[in-house]
Amino acid sequence: AQSVAQPEDQVNVAEGNPLTVKCTYSVSGNPYLFWYVQYPNRGLQFLLKYITGDNLVKGSYGFEAEFNKSQTSFHLKKPSALVSDSALYFCAVRDRGSNDYKLSFGAGTTVTVRA
Amino acid sequence: EAGVAQSPRYKIIEKRQSVAFWCNPISGHATLYWYQQILGQGPKLLIQFQNNGVVDDSQLPKDRFSAERLKGVDSTLKIQPAKLEDSAVYLCASRHQDSSYEQYFGPGTRLTVT
């Protein structure tokens, strides 16, 4: 079984401040990890992924995420948040050993960046 | 490259009526997914197709939901009869068969059942 937890329903930050969105995962084997962003009335947009290699992965719009195997975490970060980063963020996991390519999503974290 | 297309974008029906959603994946993407996203929750997989065959439909309420992907391209998801708890956004996603990684999502269809 695989699952994702996003412990914070909402994150509020001021523009220009660092942004962190937390994610922890559970898989029976090794994970593939993903972050997606959803703007109002839009589908999910892919931000970044961890497949293998360097634990720090960089993605779109200045976002990055760090894979921490010992803590089973994959937190999303941005050094300086913009008002336009306000959206709903989803973390997702797939067990690397599975053959069905099924993603399990967290419940989402709403990010609000105030001017 | 065109993205995943879905229609309609919005649909309002009364309970016990039927409804159908359409999805056109990215050209060349062999794998197609339908997700249900209830307000305040993450997307939940309903069904996964590989070409025109079903890979996983374990979470599909088969007494009322059905899906098909004739010719391995477009797909339709149908609900008959609809219940109030079916109110959600229905997302279609596709993935290239040579990529084990990210899925690409359409804009979704927001269904309201009254």
Side-chain angles (χ1 to χ4, degrees):
Chain A
Q2 57 190 38
S3 65
V4 168
Q6 293 182 241
E8 299 162 316
D9 291 336
Q10 293 197 9
V11 170
N12 299 305
V13 298
E15 189 172 36
N17 281 2
L19 169 63
T20 299
V21 186
K22 296 179 180 177
C23 169
T24 58
Y25 66 89
S26 174
V27 294
S28 56
N30 291 311
Y32 290 138
L33 292 156
F34 306 83
W35 276 101
Y36 285 84
V37 60
Q38 186 175 35
Y39 297 99
N41 300 314
R42 302 277 294 277
L44 277 68
Q45 287 180 236
F46 169 75
L47 274 180
L48 52 78
K49 63 180 181 283
Y50 171 80
I51 304 300
T52 188
D54 194 346
N55 289 344
L56 183 65
V57 294
K58 295 185 182 298
S60 306
Y61 313 121
F63 284 94
E64 58 187 30
E66 185 166 13
F67 170 61
N68 187 317
K69 187 172 184 178
S70 63
Q71 297 185 3
T72 61
S73 67
F74 190 56
H75 300 331
L76 181 70
K77 299 180 180 182
K78 186 170 184 178
S80 178
L82 301 172
V83 172
S84 57
D85 294 327
S86 298
L88 182 57
Y89 290 80
F90 290 98
C91 182
V93 68
R94 175 167 88 78
D95 190 324
R96 194 181 298 182
S98 74
N99 295 322
D100 59 15
Y101 302 97
K102 184 190 307 184
L103 288 181
S104 295
F105 287 84
T109 299
T110 299
V111 170
T112 301
V113 182
R114 60 187 184 276
Chain B
E1 180 181 74
V4 177
Q6 289 188 248
S7 67
R9 292 295 311 277
Y10 306 92
K11 190 74 177 179
I12 301 174
I13 62 172
E14 295 181 352
K15 59 184 179 183
R16 291 186 290 274
Q17 286 187 322
S18 62
V19 64
F21 312 128
W22 173 83
C23 173
N24 179 244
I26 293 173
S27 178
H29 282 199
T31 309
L32 184 147
Y33 308 80
W34 282 103
Y35 290 87
Q36 180 191 57
Q37 185 180 14
I38 293 173
L39 187 65
Q41 300 180 19
K44 184 188 80 172
L45 181 68
L46 292 175
I47 189 167
Q48 175 184 344
F49 291 94
Q50 179 73 20
N51 296 310
N52 60 352
V54 175
V55 173
D56 184 350
D57 63 357
S58 58
Q59 299 297 308
L60 189 73
K62 298 180 187 63
D63 58 334
R64 298 184 300 106
F65 286 64
S66 64
E68 60 182 10
R69 191 184 183 196
L70 301 176
K71 301 181 181 179
V73 181
D74 294 5
S75 177
T76 56
L77 176 69
K78 297 179 182 178
I79 308 175
Q80 182 179 10
K83 293 185 175 181
L84 294 177
E85 58 262 36
D86 298 332
S87 294
V89 175
Y90 291 84
L91 295 165
C92 180
S94 68
R95 182 182 63 82
H96 194 280
Q97 66 181 18
D98 291 334
S99 167
S100 298
Y101 313 137
E102 62 267 27
Q103 301 174 16
Y104 294 89
F105 286 79
T109 296
R110 181 177 297 277
L111 173 67
T112 302
V113 182
T114 62

